[in-house]
Amino acid sequence: MEGAGENAPESSSSVPGSDESARDPQALPLEEESGDCARSLEAKKLCGYLSKFGGKGPIRGWKSRWFFYDERKCQLYYSRTAQDANPLDSIDLSSAVFDCKADGEEGIFEIKTPSRVMTLKAATKQVMLYWLQQLQMKRWEFHNSPPAPPAAPDAALAGNGPALHLELGQEEAELEEFLCPVKTPPGLVGVAAALQPFPALQNISLKHLGTEIQNTMHNIRGNKQTQATGHEPPGEDSPQSGEPQREEQPLASDPTTPGREPEDSPKPGPKSSLTISFVQKAKRQNNTFPFFSEGITWNRTAQEKVAALEQQVLMLTKELKSQKELVKILHKALEAAQQEKRASSAYLAAAEDKDRLELVRHKVRQIAELGRRVEALEQERESLAHTASLREQEVQELQQHVQLLMDKNHAKQQVICKLSEKVTQDFTHPPDQSPLPPDAADRDFLSQQEKIEHLKDDMEAYRTQNRFLNSEIHQVTKIWRKVAEKEKALLTKCAYLQARNCQVESKYLAGLRRLQEALGDETSECSELLRQLVQEALQWEAGEASSDSIELSPISKYDEYGFLTVPDYEVEDLKLLAKIQALEVRSHHLLGLEAVDRPLRERWAALGELVPSAELKQLLRAGVPREHRPRVWRWLVHLRVQHLHTPGCYQELLSRGRAREHPAARQIELDLNRTFPNNKHFTCPTSSFPDKLRRVLLAFSWQNPTIGYCQGLNRLAAIALLVLEEEESAFWCLVAIVETIMPTDYYSNTLTASQVDQRVLQDLLSEKLPRLMAHLGQHHVDLSLITFNWFLVVFADSLISNILLRVWDAFLYEGTKVVFRYALAVFKYNEKEILRLHNGLEIYQYLRFFTKTISNSRKLMNIAFNDMNPFRMKQLQQLRMVHRERLEAELRELEQLKAEYMERRTSQRRAMSDGCASEDEVEGEA
């Protein structure tokens, strides 16, 4: 019975065709010329006899097995003898690690896989090191070479040969830094090892008894067929011996498969009789095939030329591969454009609504197909992630094992040093005692010398083990990195496919909306079907959330700051627009995940102490990652209010509010329930955010009695709370915005500075977007009705949170100039849509929600900070000064008119009262 480690399922399949020559030399046709055989041996087939530890109970022990490596599958098969047709079992080397024990028996090493540990023993230490090095190289070759196609393996090998040889050469050079290459042990590994005598019958595997019986019957049948075909006796030499052997080879195939198998399909193992005949013929024809004993000699000059040609072939292959990839990408882009063009043409050419609906259903099927592809990629990603985690665990175990061995080696070295010192002292300063007899002294000296030699052997064994384990850790780490790179590439591909899926879904919803607008209020069958499709589209998210499919970045109900990703509007048309916008935002996020967001996070992570600089300004404009935003905002707020900040100030203001009620407390309480109704932190009854917001606003009303409280401050403080989470930090952020960033009188009773900024915005729009302003002026649209709230709360109610917080990142550092930039950018972003509208009422309706349709934050940022240039602060200050003077003059004139009106009213009332008094006197006299 085999060892308990053999838990893999029993395999009755034949040896893969690529390794038949490694198991049995008969796989090579005997009539081929010696050059073909030389090329076969050049591949350095890894095979040979090893002892495997296994069994249970009293029969547990070492059993000799023939091991041979399958290069295509990275499997190490083993059977009882080299002549067996079917292997007993196999070991998967793609996820295996190797270990050798310096303190164990000579030649013992282990192959550890995630499922089992296989203990093997080689004949000598040199054979063990040779197997370990070759297994390492085979594993590295498997992970670095692309999988060969099932057809034409020779062509694939020829195409990948130079690159593969170069990779292996580099890996061999790196491994030589740890452990010197071991020479091939003659006669113990490779094809020549098949000439060794067969193992004894007691080595039969009871666990794989069925396979053993099949192999035995196979060998018996082969012997009978050899005798029936009239093969020559083993001692004779016949030049025609190769021909009947070729004729017998098809009989070794599976009897259930008629005819001859293709060349690239796995072939069953050869018969023992043919193998014995080939071995005997190889012995007899030693002069014809000298490579069995002496090997192949190569010309150094020819090798250098071949290496140079291989290098050229490698460079040309890489260049050809890159050009092919470029052509494929362009071809795919062309196909996508043509498909979209054909779909649009078919949609426009459709005469009836039924045809258009059929096209819409076709798009739905395409979306479903993309979803299935995304699920398949996600499953592949999970398997790779699982493999990577297993590799990490294996690396950690190896590192711990190496550390233990190093500690043990260090302890042994200390013991050796102490023993050496003791021996030296004994020889130089013998103890005061009677001299030993000469024979006893010699024996004592020899024993000491023997101990020292043993200790030196142990030290050398541990050094060898340490060097091998270092090379194993080095190679496993490189393999793990390659797996991580592959996983990263798959994640990028999955994100791209999901982004494309979102775009297709968004276009589908937009098409439904346009069809709905075209049909209007008709009650036909088509309109009813269209309404049903819209309802299904709006319910997709709930269906996706309940399904078992795992997505890379699913659209959740709330974003990372608690805002609803798809607001729950009462109007169905607005619901559809909100869903389209959520899909567009997700698409842009997925497409920019690797190209933009990851490098930005790396730059922020590498940024040390924050100091004002041009680099920091650019990073703030690009947006602060969520994990760094609280720290950056605290630094920006401190930069603004460091001259106002005093320790304990916030707590003192809170205690003042508890002592007596502020006049603005009632208005603050009313506005708390109106703060961000689309955010779960301010609508959930159990949330602590409303209480925090109340305390922050009351503290500010005591801090700045001139303003006290103004509607809009609640939203500014709420944004600060969502990001900073601490009450005091949010309070000082509100102080920084109102008292240091915004102009004076921005939140006063008259809102003078706010009105001035609206006039400044009108001038900037006329300068930057003259066509749009002319269009709005033609339809008598007053933009201040829309933009006044933008400036008062810094877009808190207008932009989605993903874009809003990027605006605030730059706003807290650069000031109000950022608000003007983004206000201009919003109109520039939607300029074409506004110019399409030719009715004042339609324009007002569109301007009510058009900021919520902005989904591409990078495009908006590029417009704000690049397309709006030049944008000088000096110009902004001059415009503010001019418009402030005009506004104050208008206000003075208005006050004067008001005073004159009040004076006229007073004189009129006085005249009326005098007239009434005189009439009373006349009536009294009468």
Side-chain angles (χ1 to χ4, degrees):
M1 184 180 295
E2 292 296 315
E6 298 178 31
N7 297 325
E10 183 175 326
S11 173
S12 61
S13 62
S14 61
V15 182
S18 62
D19 290 308
E20 288 181 1
S21 59
R23 294 176 56 248
D24 192 345
Q26 178 56 30
L28 299 172
L30 292 183
E31 73 275 17
E32 291 183 354
E33 296 181 358
S34 60
D36 298 332
C37 296
R39 285 194 296 271
S40 300
L41 285 182
E42 186 187 355
K44 295 183 180 179
K45 298 294 183 182
L46 183 59
C47 55
Y49 280 105
L50 293 172
S51 297
K52 174 183 168 297
F53 189 77
K56 290 183 179 179
I59 60 173
R60 186 174 178 82
W62 297 99
K63 294 185 179 182
S64 179
R65 294 286 180 262
W66 172 260
F67 285 82
F68 52 94
Y69 175 73
D70 181 2
E71 296 183 356
R72 290 191 299 178
K73 298 181 180 179
C74 197
Q75 296 276 343
L76 186 64
Y77 292 91
Y78 62 90
S79 57
R80 188 168 60 89
T81 67
Q83 291 74 32
D84 289 345
N86 300 319
L88 298 175
D89 207 342
S90 63
I91 308 171
D92 183 12
L93 299 183
S94 62
S95 58
V97 293
F98 313 114
D99 189 15
C100 62
K101 304 293 184 182
D103 52 353
E105 190 177 347
E106 183 180 1
I108 294 179
F109 62 98
E110 291 180 348
I111 301 177
K112 299 180 180 180
T113 65
S115 58
R116 57 177 174 169
V117 177
M118 187 77 72
T119 305
L120 305 175
K121 183 170 69 172
T124 62
K125 180 180 177 181
Q126 182 187 9
V127 176
M128 177 195 73
L129 292 177
Y130 175 82
W131 271 95
L132 288 172
Q133 282 190 341
Q134 290 299 315
L135 290 175
Q136 279 185 333
M137 293 304 302
K138 297 297 183 183
R139 181 184 59 188
W140 178 255
E141 177 183 347
F142 176 78
H143 281 285
N144 278 272
S145 59
D154 296 335
L157 183 62
N160 296 327
L164 183 59
H165 291 164
L166 183 60
E167 289 281 349
L168 292 178
Q170 292 176 353
E171 181 63 16
E172 287 176 357
E174 291 179 357
L175 291 180
E176 285 179 10
E177 298 178 2
F178 301 100
L179 191 64
C180 296
V182 181
K183 296 182 179 180
T184 305
L188 297 178
V189 293
V191 179
L195 303 176
Q196 294 182 5
F198 295 171
L201 188 60
Q202 60 265 25
N203 280 327
I204 191 169
S205 174
L206 298 179
K207 181 178 180 181
H208 305 92
L209 191 58
T211 306
E212 291 281 12
I213 293 173
Q214 289 179 7
N215 290 333
T216 304
M217 297 301 297
H218 198 302
N219 295 337
I220 294 172
R221 193 163 55 245
N223 288 329
K224 290 182 178 180
Q225 290 174 356
T226 304
Q227 296 174 3
T229 52
H231 274 262
E232 59 181 359
E236 297 180 3
D237 186 6
S238 174
Q240 285 84 14
S241 61
E243 198 64 35
Q245 289 170 354
R246 255 200 342 260
E247 294 174 359
E248 292 292 335
Q249 191 169 357
L251 297 175
S253 62
D254 191 354
T256 61
T257 305
R260 185 163 182 163
E261 295 182 352
E263 292 181 0
D264 57 346
S265 63
K267 300 182 178 65
K271 299 177 174 56
S272 59
S273 60
L274 303 184
T275 303
I276 296 171
S277 175
F278 176 81
V279 172
Q280 292 171 348
K281 187 172 181 62
K283 288 180 178 179
R284 293 193 305 271
Q285 295 180 349
N286 194 23
N287 296 328
T288 306
F289 302 101
F291 48 85
F292 277 104
S293 59
E294 299 178 0
I296 302 170
T297 59
W298 297 93
N299 192 323
R300 286 190 176 182
T301 307
Q303 286 182 345
E304 291 175 359
K305 291 181 179 179
V306 169
L309 289 173
E310 286 180 351
Q311 189 71 17
Q312 292 180 1
V313 170
L314 176 62
M315 294 175 61
L316 292 174
T317 305
K318 288 183 177 179
E319 184 177 357
L320 179 61
K321 185 178 179 182
S322 62
Q323 294 295 331
K324 285 183 178 179
E325 290 177 354
L326 179 60
V327 170
K328 287 180 181 179
I329 292 172
L330 293 175
H331 186 64
K332 288 181 180 179
L334 180 60
E335 285 183 351
Q338 289 177 348
Q339 288 178 0
E340 188 171 357
K341 181 180 178 181
R342 285 195 294 269
S344 302
S345 301
Y347 179 81
L348 294 174
E352 297 180 0
D353 293 336
K354 291 183 179 179
D355 298 335
R356 296 185 177 181
L357 289 175
E358 182 60 32
L359 292 174
V360 170
R361 291 193 187 99
H362 179 65
K363 287 294 182 182
V364 173
R365 289 193 291 270
Q366 286 183 349
I367 292 172
E369 179 63 25
L370 282 174
R372 286 192 292 270
R373 289 174 61 189
V374 168
E375 290 176 7
L377 285 173
E378 183 60 31
Q379 291 176 359
E380 187 178 355
R381 185 193 69 82
E382 287 181 356
S383 65
L384 287 174
H386 179 66
T387 306
S389 63
L390 291 176
R391 291 295 166 86
E392 288 181 355
Q393 293 176 4
E394 292 168 4
V395 170
Q396 291 176 359
E397 291 176 0
L398 283 174
Q399 289 176 347
Q400 293 175 359
H401 187 61
V402 169
Q403 186 62 36
L404 290 174
L405 291 177
M406 291 177 66
D407 296 340
K408 190 174 180 181
N409 191 15
H410 181 66
K412 287 194 175 184
Q413 287 179 354
Q414 290 180 348
V415 172
I416 291 170
C417 292
K418 290 180 181 179
L419 289 174
S420 301
E421 292 175 359
K422 185 177 179 181
V423 170
T424 305
Q425 290 176 1
D426 290 342
F427 278 109
T428 56
H429 303 287
D432 296 334
Q433 58 182 5
S434 60
L436 294 173
D439 294 339
D442 291 342
R443 285 196 300 271
D444 186 45
F445 176 76
L446 290 174
S447 65
Q448 294 290 343
Q449 286 292 106
E450 186 177 356
K451 288 180 181 179
I452 292 175
E453 291 298 326
H454 283 309
L455 290 174
K456 288 181 179 179
D457 292 340
D458 290 343
M459 286 180 61
E460 184 62 28
Y462 278 112
R463 286 197 187 100
T464 304
Q465 181 188 14
N466 191 19
R467 288 194 293 267
F468 169 74
L469 290 177
N470 286 336
S471 67
E472 179 70 8
I473 292 172
H474 171 74
Q475 193 181 84
V476 169
T477 304
K478 291 180 69 175
I479 292 173
W480 176 82
R481 287 174 181 168
K482 285 187 172 292
V483 171
E485 291 175 0
K486 187 176 179 182
E487 181 186 8
K488 182 179 177 182
L490 284 175
L491 284 173
T492 305
K493 185 177 180 181
C494 186
Y496 173 76
L497 287 175
Q498 282 198 327
R500 293 291 300 168
N501 189 19
C502 289
Q503 291 175 357
V504 172
E505 189 177 345
S506 173
K507 291 178 181 178
Y508 169 71
L509 293 177
L512 287 179
R513 181 171 176 269
R514 290 178 182 175
L515 282 174
Q516 197 175 27
E517 290 176 353
L519 291 176
D521 298 332
E522 296 181 12
T523 57
S524 62
E525 182 181 351
C526 292
S527 62
E528 183 63 30
L529 179 60
L530 185 61
R531 278 193 291 271
Q532 183 180 354
L533 289 174
V534 170
Q535 290 295 331
E536 291 176 359
L538 292 175
Q539 294 172 2
W540 276 351
E541 194 62 38
E544 290 174 4
S546 61
S547 63
D548 296 333
S549 62
I550 302 173
E551 294 189 4
L552 182 68
S553 178
I555 301 179
S556 59
K557 187 176 181 181
Y558 297 96
D559 65 8
E560 53 192 4
Y561 289 100
F563 289 97
L564 280 170
T565 53
V566 182
D568 190 14
Y569 294 115
E570 296 181 0
V571 184
E572 187 178 276
D573 193 32
L574 293 179
K575 286 183 180 180
L576 202 57
L577 284 173
K579 183 67 181 292
I580 292 172
Q581 187 222 18
L583 289 169
E584 289 291 336
V585 170
R586 181 185 175 196
S587 172
H588 291 303
H589 170 70
L590 290 172
L591 289 175
L593 195 62
E594 292 293 329
V596 180
D597 292 348
R598 192 181 298 276
L600 185 63
R601 283 192 173 90
E602 292 174 357
R603 288 183 65 188
W604 275 105
L607 197 64
E609 185 180 355
L610 297 176
V611 290
S613 63
E615 181 187 6
L616 179 63
K617 182 178 180 180
Q618 295 300 323
L619 285 174
L620 288 170
R621 287 181 173 185
V624 184
R626 187 180 189 277
E627 58 270 22
H628 299 287
R629 185 168 278 135
R631 174 179 68 93
V632 174
W633 278 28
R634 289 190 186 95
W635 179 81
L636 292 172
V637 169
H638 178 72
L639 204 64
R640 296 280 184 179
V641 299
Q642 54 186 345
H643 63 286
L644 300 173
H645 188 279
T646 54
C649 175
Y650 180 68
Q651 298 300 330
E652 181 184 348
L653 294 172
L654 289 181
S655 60
R656 190 185 305 177
R658 286 191 292 268
R660 62 191 182 94
E661 186 177 357
H662 194 277
R666 186 163 175 264
Q667 185 61 42
I668 290 173
E669 201 65 35
L670 291 174
D671 285 349
L672 284 178
N673 297 326
R674 295 197 287 259
T675 304
F676 293 139
N678 61 337
N679 190 291
K680 64 179 181 181
H681 295 301
F682 294 98
T683 55
C684 180
T686 59
S687 176
S688 62
F689 276 82
D691 294 331
K692 292 180 181 180
L693 181 60
R694 179 188 297 108
R695 289 191 289 269
V696 169
L697 294 175
L698 285 173
F700 180 79
S701 63
W702 288 107
Q703 158 77 13
N704 193 330
T706 339
I707 296 175
Y709 175 74
C710 172
Q711 286 187 346
L713 296 182
N714 59 325
R715 281 162 285 183
L716 296 175
I719 293 293
L721 268 176
L722 288 173
V723 175
L724 300 172
E725 295 182 356
E726 298 176 359
E727 288 182 41
E728 187 170 356
S729 299
F731 165 76
W732 287 113
C733 182
L734 183 61
V735 171
I737 293 172
V738 177
E739 298 187 8
T740 65
I741 298 178
M742 291 298 192
T744 313
D745 299 335
Y746 217 85
Y747 299 96
S748 63
N749 293 332
T750 57
L751 300 174
T752 306
S754 301
Q755 297 182 55
V756 168
D757 278 356
Q758 294 307 305
R759 300 188 179 193
V760 173
L761 178 63
Q762 299 278 345
D763 288 354
L764 293 174
L765 281 169
S766 300
E767 177 188 346
K768 306 289 184 181
L769 304 171
R771 187 182 173 194
L772 177 65
M773 284 303 293
H775 180 73
L776 295 175
Q778 182 182 355
H779 296 283
H780 307 288
V781 176
D782 185 6
L783 286 180
S784 62
L785 298 176
I786 307 296
T787 59
F788 188 85
N789 195 52
W790 295 1
F791 283 73
L792 201 64
V793 297
V794 195
F795 296 101
D797 284 333
S798 306
L799 299 172
I800 60 174
S801 61
N802 181 37
I803 301 176
L804 170 67
L805 295 174
R806 295 193 180 195
V807 175
W808 277 55
D809 293 337
F811 164 72
L812 291 175
Y813 185 72
E814 298 184 51
T816 54
K817 183 171 69 171
V818 172
V819 184
F820 282 98
R821 281 185 176 274
Y822 271 100
L824 295 171
V826 166
F827 283 107
K828 177 67 175 175
Y829 191 99
N830 296 276
E831 183 180 14
K832 294 181 180 179
E833 285 74 11
I834 299 174
L835 291 175
R836 290 195 189 101
L837 302 174
H838 297 284
N839 182 279
L841 182 59
E842 290 181 354
I843 293 175
Y844 273 117
Q845 289 177 347
Y846 179 73
L847 293 179
R848 280 178 49 238
F849 66 86
F850 82 117
T851 53
K852 294 290 186 179
T853 63
I854 298 175
S855 57
N856 194 338
S857 59
R858 288 185 292 276
K859 178 181 176 182
L860 185 67
M861 181 197 70
N862 186 59
I863 295 173
F865 294 107
N866 294 325
D867 295 356
M868 293 299 110
N869 287 335
F871 197 94
R872 301 179 181 85
M873 192 64 188
K874 185 177 180 181
Q875 178 191 7
L876 183 62
Q877 291 173 350
Q878 290 175 352
L879 289 173
R880 276 178 167 171
M881 189 181 302
V882 171
H883 284 290
R884 188 177 187 89
E885 291 175 358
R886 292 178 183 174
L887 181 61
E888 288 176 350
E890 291 175 2
L891 291 176
R892 285 195 299 269
E893 184 178 354
L894 186 61
E895 288 294 333
Q896 185 178 355
L897 292 174
K898 184 178 178 182
E900 291 176 358
Y901 171 74
M902 294 301 295
E903 186 177 351
R904 286 198 305 271
R905 286 294 303 270
T906 304
S907 60
Q908 288 175 0
R909 288 179 180 176
R910 187 180 298 114
M912 288 176 63
S913 62
D914 292 343
C916 291
S918 61
E919 288 180 1
D920 291 339
E921 290 177 359
V922 171
E923 289 178 359
E925 291 176 357

